[in-house]
Amino acid sequence: MTKNTAGNRPYPIRHYVRIMMLVSLVVLVLDLVISLASISIVKQQSTRYLKDTAKLYIDRINHDFAYINHYMGWTLANDESLNMMNAYDPDSSEFIKSNDNLYKRFSELQKNYGQQFNFFFYLKNQSFFLNCAPISITYTDYLELKKQINSYIEDKDVYAHFYSRWSPILVNGNYYIINIVPYYNRYLIGLISADNLIHPLRQLNLGANGYASLVDEKGTRISSPLSASGKLVQQEAKGPGLFQSRTTISSEFSNTTFSAHMIIQFGAFEKIMIAQLLILLLFFMVTSTICAVMLFFNKRVLGPIQNFSENLAHLSEEGQPVDFKSSKIIELEQANAQFKDLVKQIKTFKIAIYEQELEKQRIQLDYMKQQIKPHFFLNCLTSIYSMAQIQMYEEIENMAMSTSKYFRYTFQSGENFVRLEDEIEHVRTYLEIQRSRYRDAFRYHIGQDEAAKDTLIPPLVLQTFIENSIKYAISRDPEVQIRLTVHRREAAEEQVTVIQISDSGPGFAPEVLEKLVRGQSLDQSKGTHIGIMNTLKRLEYLYFKKAVVHFSNIEGGGASVILTLPDLPSTST
């Protein structure tokens, strides 16, 4: 018989109840802190995303404003139509013909930048004011605008405020953004409604009570606070700290006297917080109930068993509890030994299954990380938008169809293997999308053995290396050549698929190539090389370390990647 040491000393059930209550309290506090931190992080990420989106829109508006301002200035200085109109009477044929030419020029400009932009001209000598493109304002606002333009030009102090700057004005209770460009005694005026200018930002999801509006330099709101659903939103008082339901994002326009404000109000955050607190309260109640049941079980069940155990202890020489292994109760001894063996086997199986599940989850997580490419999606949308601005309708159709095919394939069910022909078609779709973006920056060639089209390979493997070529090889001069070849051959008495991806770019950096050749991990701390490292790990896991990837630089310039993939049984998929 051995004596109990401090490490295996038995404790009463009350001791474990106190430990459970303490652990529950610690978990409760930690869970609350983590929940608060998680909600704060999600709110910060949502705000950052909306800031980036607003910046994209505001940059585009700044570009539009700058171009329109330049266009009006150039027209005033170089277009003979205004000279003719300034020299002749408004009822003359020369004046009417010149006015028609000016109308055509600004109608074309309006087609490129939207019907919401209005353009007018003013001839001071003749005190003549007229639109030079189709207008989207009411006739009443037009008359009031004409009256205000006359007063602005006569009042030099007021006029200096609008000189070649986009500034808000109030016309019959409606706010407009106006820009007046002068040239001697003639003027061109650009005008857009404040609500029309802010409209695209209202399409963002800012919450049920969130809205976007324009604010002038004095802090006065110059556009209606409408949500994305068109509902008029009333302002609310701000709350302090993390529980503040409203977040304000301010974005400045360049060369203007106003800015854009976005009020984010996601009620879901508060609902999440309440739900989390209820879950924590339920957890605490369940833990307290279990502790109460354990105390009751100790008193009504374990007490009698302990008394029986103490009686059995007297059978031993030193009064210690009887060791079941030395007892005469064969059933207890056999059950104890079998149970220990069973526990040992279960632990072994659990550890093996747990390790396999962790590895599988890690591979799936890496695969999903590789699938999610929001920047690529945004770039596709930006390209489609740019094509729409210059009315490239056929290119828009091709780009939209290619983007749809690309993401349909990317978000397919998470199978480990797909047909090589499908993977190559996906690569071809990706390359066509990139060609639409980069135009003549590269050419590509895909060669494939007919016998290899039904071969099964992991999805998105080829795209990883093709993306690497697009990212590091493409430049505007010279034109880059990208090649993808596939063929079947026999190696070590078995059929393998050999895939080569090469380009004519600058090739791998020496330090990167050295690590790849040696099989060392690349630095991923800056968000680079993640795709290559994840792909190599996937190939190692799915092919049981039988797949071979060879990296090299081509003599004369360019990078080459050769994948040698063995055939796997159909059950591997």
Side-chain angles (χ1 to χ4, degrees):
M1 304 295 289
T2 59
K3 295 182 179 180
N4 289 332
T5 61
N8 57 12
R9 176 185 173 186
Y11 294 95
I13 196 169
R14 291 184 180 85
H15 173 77
Y16 298 104
V17 169
R18 285 193 294 268
I19 292 177
M20 181 177 293
M21 292 294 293
L22 179 61
V23 170
S24 299
L25 183 60
V26 172
V27 170
L28 187 68
V29 174
L30 286 177
D31 198 33
L32 179 61
V33 172
I34 292 173
S35 299
L36 295 175
S38 300
I39 293 175
S40 176
I41 291 172
V42 171
K43 292 180 74 172
Q44 291 175 4
Q45 290 177 342
S46 300
T47 303
R48 189 180 303 113
Y49 161 75
L50 291 171
K51 280 185 177 179
D52 293 341
T53 304
K55 184 179 183 302
L56 289 174
Y57 171 70
I58 289 174
D59 287 346
R60 183 180 70 83
I61 291 299
N62 287 334
H63 176 270
D64 293 349
F65 279 171
Y67 181 82
I68 292 173
N69 190 59
H70 172 76
Y71 187 87
M72 290 193 296
W74 185 94
T75 302
L76 284 168
N78 299 280
D79 195 327
E80 290 299 323
S81 298
L82 283 169
N83 289 331
M84 295 291 293
M85 294 167 65
N86 198 42
Y88 288 92
D89 187 83
D91 296 328
S92 65
S93 60
E94 290 83 358
F95 185 97
I96 296 174
K97 182 178 180 181
S98 298
N99 185 30
D100 290 340
N101 293 334
L102 185 67
Y103 194 90
K104 291 177 181 178
R105 287 179 59 86
F106 278 90
S107 294
E108 289 298 322
L109 179 66
Q110 192 182 61
K111 289 179 181 178
N112 292 331
Y113 289 92
Q115 297 293 327
Q116 65 270 24
F117 280 96
N118 301 270
F119 299 98
F120 307 88
F121 69 89
Y122 178 72
L123 303 178
K124 185 176 181 181
N125 290 345
Q126 302 171 7
S127 189
F128 189 82
F129 180 85
L130 189 64
N131 60 296
C132 52
I135 61 175
S136 57
I137 64 175
T138 64
Y139 185 69
T140 304
D141 288 353
Y142 170 81
L143 294 178
E144 177 63 23
L145 176 65
K146 177 180 178 181
K147 184 187 302 182
Q148 290 193 26
I149 293 297
N150 289 331
S151 64
Y152 293 158
I153 292 174
E154 294 299 328
D155 188 342
K156 297 301 181 182
D157 293 335
V158 175
Y159 170 69
H161 180 74
F162 297 97
Y163 176 74
S164 296
R165 296 178 65 195
W166 292 87
S167 305
I169 63 171
L170 185 63
V171 179
N172 290 333
N174 299 316
Y175 276 100
Y176 293 91
I177 309 301
I178 191 172
N179 181 24
I180 304 175
V181 180
Y183 188 77
Y184 293 105
N185 57 354
R186 49 186 180 268
Y187 305 84
L188 279 175
I189 300 100
L191 182 79
I192 183 174
S193 167
D195 284 334
N196 287 337
L197 187 63
I198 199 66
H199 179 72
L201 288 181
R202 289 174 174 167
Q203 307 308 307
L204 298 176
N205 182 15
L206 303 176
N209 294 318
Y211 62 90
S213 64
L214 296 178
V215 178
D216 64 13
E217 54 191 357
K218 296 180 179 179
T220 303
R221 196 167 58 203
I222 60 176
S223 63
S224 304
L226 298 178
S227 64
S229 61
K231 177 183 176 182
L232 186 64
V233 180
Q234 299 296 330
Q235 292 191 359
E236 299 176 1
K238 297 182 178 179
L242 179 66
F243 296 95
Q244 177 179 333
S245 61
R246 295 160 54 88
T247 302
T248 302
I249 298 176
S250 298
S251 301
E252 300 291 338
F253 292 90
S254 61
N255 199 27
T256 64
T257 61
F258 59 91
S259 59
H261 285 194
M262 290 190 298
I263 308 300
I264 308 170
Q265 187 162 343
F266 290 117
F269 291 132
E270 288 71 24
K271 294 179 181 178
I272 292 173
M273 176 63 69
I274 295 173
Q276 189 68 32
L277 292 175
L278 291 176
I279 292 174
L280 293 177
L281 180 60
L282 179 62
F283 168 78
F284 189 76
M285 292 176 60
V286 170
T287 304
S288 302
T289 303
I290 292 176
C291 291
V293 171
M294 290 178 65
L295 292 174
F296 177 81
F297 184 78
N298 175 61
K299 180 178 180 180
R300 295 299 179 92
V301 179
L302 295 184
I305 293 178
Q306 184 178 3
N307 293 333
F308 177 73
S309 177
E310 290 175 353
N311 291 332
L312 291 177
H314 291 292
L315 298 177
S316 61
E317 296 179 354
E318 298 180 0
Q320 298 296 328
V322 176
D323 186 1
F324 278 112
K325 290 184 178 180
S326 61
S327 70
K328 301 300 181 179
I329 304 177
I330 299 176
E331 291 81 4
L332 286 177
E333 186 174 337
Q334 292 177 345
N336 184 50
Q338 292 174 358
F339 181 77
K340 286 183 177 181
D341 291 338
L342 179 61
V343 169
K344 186 182 296 183
Q345 292 178 15
I346 290 175
K347 287 183 178 179
T348 302
F349 290 144
K350 278 186 175 181
I351 291 173
I353 293 173
Y354 181 71
E355 290 177 348
Q356 292 179 1
E357 189 65 21
L358 282 181
E359 182 68 12
K360 181 178 180 181
Q361 290 179 0
R362 183 181 61 80
I363 296 297
Q364 290 177 344
L365 179 60
D366 291 341
Y367 177 37
M368 291 305 296
K369 286 181 179 178
Q370 185 172 327
Q371 285 183 317
I372 301 173
K373 301 181 184 298
H375 292 294
F376 179 74
F377 179 67
L378 292 177
N379 288 337
C380 290
L381 292 181
T382 302
S383 297
I384 293 174
Y385 175 78
S386 299
M387 294 175 184
Q389 281 191 312
I390 56 178
Q391 302 178 7
M392 299 172 65
Y393 299 122
E394 184 176 355
E395 288 80 0
I396 291 173
E397 293 177 358
N398 295 334
M399 186 68 169
M401 181 57 68
S402 297
T403 303
S404 175
K405 290 171 61 178
Y406 175 89
F407 283 100
R408 184 180 295 111
Y409 183 90
T410 301
F411 295 131
Q412 64 183 339
S413 60
E415 297 180 350
N416 289 334
F417 294 90
V418 296
R419 293 173 67 243
L420 178 57
E421 186 176 28
D422 296 337
E423 180 73 2
I424 290 179
E425 182 61 26
H426 178 65
V427 168
R428 184 178 285 107
T429 300
Y430 172 78
L431 287 170
E432 287 299 324
I433 292 174
Q434 296 292 24
R435 283 191 66 185
S436 298
R437 293 183 59 212
Y438 293 107
R439 294 298 173 186
D440 298 327
F442 73 94
R443 292 181 180 273
Y444 70 90
H445 170 76
I446 298 177
Q448 175 189 4
D449 286 351
E450 187 67 17
K453 68 177 184 178
D454 291 327
T455 303
L456 298 178
I457 68 168
L460 302 180
V461 167
L462 303 185
Q463 182 186 327
T464 299
F465 300 106
I466 292 292
E467 284 181 352
N468 198 61
S469 294
I470 295 291
K471 183 177 181 180
Y472 295 103
I474 286 182
S475 63
R476 288 299 177 186
D477 186 24
E479 182 182 71
V480 173
Q481 302 291 328
I482 298 176
R483 297 182 62 86
L484 169 62
T485 58
V486 181
H487 64 273
R488 299 274 292 171
R489 68 177 176 85
E490 186 170 345
E493 298 182 355
E494 67 174 350
Q495 289 290 322
V496 296
T497 303
V498 180
I499 305 171
Q500 182 175 11
I501 298 135
S502 62
D503 60 66
S504 59
F508 294 106
E511 63 274 13
V512 173
L513 181 60
E514 182 180 0
K515 288 187 177 182
L516 290 173
V517 171
R518 291 184 178 181
Q520 299 175 350
S521 297
L522 299 179
D523 182 17
Q524 305 174 53
S525 60
K526 297 181 180 179
T528 58
H529 310 304
I530 295 176
I532 290 180
M533 298 311 300
N534 285 349
T535 300
L536 294 178
K537 291 177 182 178
R538 289 177 60 211
L539 292 175
E540 179 182 0
Y541 174 75
L542 295 173
Y543 285 96
F544 306 100
K545 299 184 179 181
K546 292 183 180 180
V548 178
V549 183
H550 177 70
F551 299 89
S552 64
N553 282 335
I554 301 172
E555 185 176 355
S560 172
V561 181
I562 301 177
L563 291 81
T564 305
L565 307 177
D567 289 345
L568 291 178
S570 59
T571 55
S572 298
T573 61

